[in-house]
């Protein structure tokens, strides 16, 4: 079974990462008017990096050599950035994490991201500040695999965000979600697919996490998180009719309400991110990952065009 273990403390950016492993800190947000969305992920041991994958095959999987701050901005002014850098451009401590020119820092009561990146494929700048104010810690720390090598920590599912960008020129506020993941081995070793979603509801947030293992086993977790941080096991919503992405991934979100509008955010050969909206105004952020696709050589050949690496 998925194991709920001791609740985490505040996020610490200096936690160790084992060889071939990974650790990331995640934010996603949707603006109050629904026109904008944002995802920021800070990686040590970039799990989808073709460079890290190759290094692991050569027994050179030092996670600090493969770091990135991924920023995806959706809606007007859309940008996507994920430039990987080595240990020489990494700085991290208990309350700060920096890769190259971009950083995230814990300041008093908030996470503060300073972004200075170039987007792919055209090199357009993405610069500015993002601040996220977490609410109560929900106290979940979940093992995603039977061997307890992969951990998911949704430490603040309810948060507020303020986005102030210079390039593109955008300012908005919205609701955000913050979590962290860590693993002691590569994702592809433990998982065949995974399917994650969060659904905003009037009475809180509904989180679904469904993982399938290489041996065809699977686990499904559903948690309802109240605004004050209390969480309870909940009955999983049934899967919606599968929606096939442009790359042929079959995503079947568990939204718990009829879908009125679909906004594709990411559509790649092995990963999709989608915003599903209901006529009631509720929305679901949904992610689907197929690790069999990720391991295909043709997919890893394409990835450097979206994920450049800078050695200096």
């Amino acid at each position: 079974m998925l194991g709920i273990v001791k609740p985490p403390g505040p996020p610490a950016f200096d936690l160790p990462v084992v060889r071939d492993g990974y650790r990331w800190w995640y934010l996603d947000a949707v603006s109050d008017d629904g026109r904008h969305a944002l995802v920021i992920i800070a990686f040590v041991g970039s799990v989808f990096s073709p460079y890290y994958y190759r290094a692991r095959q050569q027994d050179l999987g030092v996670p600090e050599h493969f770091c990135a701050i991924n920023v995806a901005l959706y809606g007007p002014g859309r940008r996507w950035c994920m430039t990987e850098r080595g240990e020489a451009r990494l700085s991290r401590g208990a309350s700060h994490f920096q890769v190259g020119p971009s950083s995230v820092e814990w300041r008093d009561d908030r996470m503060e991201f300073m972004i200075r990146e170039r987007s792919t494929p055209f090199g357009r700048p993405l610069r500015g500040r993002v601040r996220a104010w977490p609410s109560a810690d929900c106290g979940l720390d979940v093992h995603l695999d039977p061997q307890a090598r992969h951990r998911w920590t949704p430490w603040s599912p309810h948060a507020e965000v303020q986005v102030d960008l210079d390039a593109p020129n955008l300012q908005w506020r919205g609701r955000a979600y913050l979590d962290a993941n860590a693993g002691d081995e590569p994702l592809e070793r433990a998982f065949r697919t995974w399917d994650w979603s969060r659904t905003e509801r009037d009475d809180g947030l509904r989180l679904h996490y469904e993982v399938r293992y290489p041996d065809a086993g699977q686990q499904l977790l559903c948690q309802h998180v109240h605004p004050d941080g209390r969480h309870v096991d909940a009955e999983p919503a049934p899967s919606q009719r599968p929606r096939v992405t442009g790359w042929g991934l079959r995503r079947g979100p568990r939204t718990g309400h009829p879908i009125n509008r679909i906004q594709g955010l990411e559509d790649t050969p092995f990963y999709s991110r989608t915003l599903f909206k209901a006529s009631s105004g509720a929305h679901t952020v949904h992610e689907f990952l197929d690790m069999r696709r990720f391991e295909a050589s043709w997919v890893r050949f394409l990835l450097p065009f979206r994920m450049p690496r800078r050695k200096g």
Side-chain angles (χ1 to χ4, degrees):
M1 295 295 293
L2 292 166
I4 298 177
V5 297
K6 184 179 179 181
F13 298 113
D14 60 349
L15 292 173
V17 186
V18 305
R19 194 178 187 87
D20 290 348
Y22 64 89
R23 189 174 291 276
W24 77 68
W25 297 267
Y26 172 95
L27 171 145
D28 85 56
V30 178
S31 64
D32 288 334
D33 62 9
R35 297 179 65 236
H36 306 275
L38 173 74
V39 171
I40 304 177
I41 314 175
F43 288 98
V44 177
S46 182
V47 291
F48 306 127
S49 162
Y51 319 102
Y52 192 28
Y53 183 93
R54 184 167 60 246
R56 292 197 300 268
Q57 309 314 303
Q58 301 170 353
D59 197 26
L60 299 172
V62 179
E64 289 81 7
H65 291 175
F66 305 92
C67 300
I69 295 181
N70 173 217
V71 187
L73 178 67
Y74 307 107
R78 182 184 180 104
R79 300 282 196 279
W80 199 93
C81 309
M82 191 169 177
T83 300
E84 185 177 295
R85 294 175 167 91
E87 189 173 15
R89 300 303 308 276
L90 169 68
S91 173
R92 63 185 184 126
S95 61
H96 79 277
F97 180 91
Q98 180 169 355
V99 179
S102 297
S103 64
V104 54
E105 186 172 1
W106 179 261
R107 294 195 173 191
D108 299 324
D109 60 346
R110 66 187 184 274
M111 299 268 280
E112 188 161 311
F113 300 83
M114 299 300 295
I115 306 301
R116 294 188 176 276
E117 297 289 340
R118 290 278 177 177
S119 64
T120 58
F122 303 115
R124 292 179 297 174
L126 178 54
R127 298 192 306 268
R129 179 172 66 169
V130 176
R131 290 170 290 173
W133 287 268
S135 62
D137 189 332
C138 79
L140 269 174
D141 196 1
V142 179
H143 289 137
L144 294 172
D145 65 311
Q147 291 74 35
R149 293 173 182 157
H150 300 263
R151 175 175 288 179
W152 169 55
T153 308
W155 62 276
S156 186
H158 296 281
E160 299 292 328
V161 70
Q162 172 72 47
V163 176
D164 294 292
L165 299 180
D166 304 316
N169 184 15
L170 281 176
Q171 294 78 40
W172 51 267
R173 297 187 67 92
R175 300 174 71 176
Y177 163 92
L178 295 161
D179 76 8
N181 279 64
D184 296 336
E185 64 180 4
L187 286 180
E188 65 270 15
R189 194 172 298 168
F191 304 108
R192 185 177 179 185
T193 65
W194 76 17
D195 190 302
W196 171 89
S197 65
R198 67 176 185 92
T199 300
E200 296 275 1
R201 297 158 51 108
D202 291 339
D203 59 348
L205 196 70
R206 189 64 58 91
L207 299 174
H208 288 92
Y209 218 135
E210 186 170 7
V211 292
R212 292 179 172 84
Y213 308 122
D215 64 1
Q218 66 183 70
Q219 293 283 4
L220 171 61
L221 169 76
C222 182
Q223 288 281 310
H224 184 88
V225 185
H226 295 273
D228 63 2
R230 290 181 298 114
H231 62 88
V232 295
D233 292 333
E235 185 69 22
S239 292
Q240 298 275 354
R241 175 178 58 84
R243 267 76 171 177
V244 180
T245 70
W247 285 97
L249 298 179
R250 293 175 61 84
R251 54 193 171 176
R254 297 178 182 273
T255 64
H257 53 249
I259 295 172
N260 184 51
R261 180 183 169 197
I262 300 174
Q263 181 179 349
L265 302 179
E266 293 291 343
D267 183 3
T268 80
F270 68 96
Y271 172 84
S272 72
R273 180 183 294 138
T274 311
L275 182 61
F276 294 100
K277 298 182 180 180
S279 56
S280 64
H283 70 259
T284 296
V285 178
H286 175 265
E287 295 183 337
F288 179 79
L289 173 67
D290 187 331
M291 293 309 299
R292 297 167 302 174
R293 281 281 193 90
F294 170 73
E295 288 199 282
S297 57
W298 65 271
V299 172
R300 287 182 284 105
F301 173 78
L302 294 174
L303 284 175
F305 295 98
R306 292 295 303 275
M307 303 177 185
R309 179 172 172 84
R310 301 286 182 265
K311 294 182 180 180

